[in-house]
Amino acid sequence: MKAIRVHELGDPEVMRLEEVPDLQPGAGQVVVRVKAAGVNPVDTYIRSGLYPRKPTLPYTPGNDAAGVVESIGKDVTRVAVGDRVYVAGTISGAYAEQALCNESQVHPLPQRVSFAQGAAIQVPYATAYRALFQLARAASGESVLVHGASGGVGVAAVQLARAAGLTVIGTAGTERGRGLVAEQGAHHVLDHHAAGYLEQVLTLTGGRGVDVVLEMLANVNLGRDLKVLAQGGRIVVIGSRGTVEIDPRDAMSRDAAILGMSLFNISGHDSARVHAALGVGLENGTLHPIIGQEMRLVDAPRAHRAVMEPGAYGKIVLIP
Ligand code: NAP
């Protein structure tokens, strides 16, 4: 089978399409014929060598994929050969024609969800769900600012929050992105490059501020997020690409919480709960991943450049 292989960490061009041996499942394992693989910003951090998690070389990048179960090992009971599935992490890497997974990493993909959409579930939707409900404990009737709503995690967060009965304010940096955020169910959409846009968060909430902020670029926004937070508000730091200065008094005066998260830390128990909830939303259509670009597996270097550029529009996926 063909797979993207990385023999040394560095620029996107270290990713090369190579022929590798077909995968065989061990006990409790599943081999998935990959129809689409999701590209996430974290894949680029790991490939560059600048991320704390270092892969054992050579490796195949990617956590997210969707496809059809090709073979199963001894004692596998949750899926059968021929099932449509999405994967929430793999043992062997996702940018390939096949992926080896533990049985617990494989979840049913409803007929209404395409393989490309299936490759856009794990990192974006599990992150958004965990941030909103397991960390911020967002509740119906509350308000949320999805700060960076046009990309993978943001779109997922808007759909999840809207379906759960929150008032949703989403931001994007382009007109196309703002159109997408509105279509996905945000009640209000702001431009995170416009002067004074965060003051509108106060206006939109009657001066009270938002209950929850999901922050995609904390190094730019964290200090200002605190100033538009309601009493008892919670900020979940999902993305950050540097350091930031905050005034702790803004948090103290609001009894506010700043919660960091890394999806890599999620327990098996919490992950099972996340996917039980996502499965229902995918089945009933409240969750519908948006695919902005499809590229060939061989174009993985181009995909890594694209995912780090401004002007996000849903997800980029690779098609083997
Ligand atoms: P993405 O698809 O590339 O989207 C990035 C988002 O950030 C876009 O909506 C973009 O908007 C927005 N953005 C750009 N400038 C901004 C600004 N000044 N203020 C607010 N938002 C801004 O990436 P993603 O997959 O959604 O992930 C978002 C971030 O979370 C990334 O840094 C990623 O590494 C991180 N992440 C962390 C975890 C975790 O476990 N902690 C999990 C998943 C993702 P425009 O392009 O429209 O300007």
Side-chain angles (χ1 to χ4, degrees):
M1 68 122 172
K2 289 197 165 46
I4 293 287
R5 299 294 281 166
V6 174
H7 294 267
E8 54 173 341
L9 302 179
D11 289 346
E13 282 65 34
V14 298
M15 294 187 290
R16 296 208 194 94
L17 194 61
E18 293 179 3
E19 191 65 38
V20 296
D22 276 3
L23 300 170
Q24 304 299 333
Q29 295 178 339
V30 175
V31 171
V32 175
R33 173 62 50 176
V34 175
K35 303 284 190 186
V39 175
N40 290 292
V42 72
D43 303 344
T44 76
Y45 315 153
I46 293 172
R47 184 223 69 232
S48 74
L50 300 175
Y51 199 64
R53 285 173 79 94
K54 309 271 188 239
T56 307
L57 298 172
Y59 83 105
T60 295
N63 287 292
D64 299 2
V68 175
V69 173
E70 194 165 83
S71 53
I72 58 174
K74 201 168 154 278
D75 302 331
V76 169
T77 54
R78 285 180 62 234
V79 291
V81 171
D83 284 1
R84 299 173 90 250
V85 293
Y86 73 91
V87 311
T90 75
I91 298 164
S92 59
Y95 295 9
E97 290 178 337
Q98 291 179 320
L100 179 67
C101 302
N102 286 319
E103 185 181 15
S104 61
Q105 294 174 313
V106 177
H107 303 278
L109 186 70
Q111 277 299 335
R112 69 188 305 157
V113 186
S114 70
F115 289 121
Q117 289 178 305
I121 296 171
Q122 160 60 5
V123 169
Y125 280 83
T127 298
Y129 186 93
R130 181 161 176 76
L132 265 174
F133 302 118
Q134 294 185 337
L135 294 177
R137 302 192 183 282
S140 55
E142 289 195 313
S143 54
V144 59
L145 169 65
V146 182
H147 213 165
S150 49
V153 179
V155 164
V158 169
Q159 293 174 0
L160 284 162
R162 178 71 198 233
L166 281 97
T167 299
V168 183
I169 304 173
T171 76
T174 64
E175 206 169 314
R176 184 165 175 256
R178 288 190 290 280
L180 174 67
V181 176
E183 281 160 25
Q184 299 319 306
H187 297 87
H188 310 284
V189 185
L190 303 174
D191 175 358
H192 52 231
H193 298 314
Y197 72 99
L198 280 175
E199 286 153 26
Q200 290 183 56
V201 172
L202 291 174
T203 313
L204 291 168
T205 53
R208 193 179 159 270
V210 280
D211 298 297
V212 174
V213 178
L214 301 191
E215 183 50 65
M216 305 304 156
L217 200 57
N219 55 302
V220 172
N221 296 321
L222 189 59
R224 295 179 299 154
D225 287 341
L226 282 166
K227 296 185 193 298
V228 297
L229 203 57
Q231 278 286 329
R234 293 87 72 199
I235 298 173
V236 185
V237 176
I238 296 175
S240 187
R241 294 181 180 166
T243 57
V244 64
E245 192 174 298
I246 65 165
D247 183 346
R249 283 213 169 133
D250 290 329
M252 293 154 68
S253 61
R254 292 169 173 80
D255 285 3
I258 301 171
L259 303 154
M261 76 159 278
S262 169
L263 192 61
F264 288 121
N265 296 334
I266 195 170
S267 66
H269 176 261
D270 281 358
S271 177
R273 287 184 164 204
V274 166
H275 290 285
L278 296 182
V280 174
L282 293 165
E283 222 166 67
N284 69 22
T286 48
L287 304 182
H288 43 95
I290 301 293
I291 307 305
Q293 281 188 77
E294 291 186 9
M295 296 187 196
R296 294 173 307 157
L297 206 48
V298 71
D299 293 325
R302 189 158 64 87
H304 272 209
R305 290 215 156 79
V307 78
M308 295 302 282
E309 276 165 14
Y313 190 93
K315 287 291 303 177
I316 299 171
V317 297
L318 299 172
I319 309 293

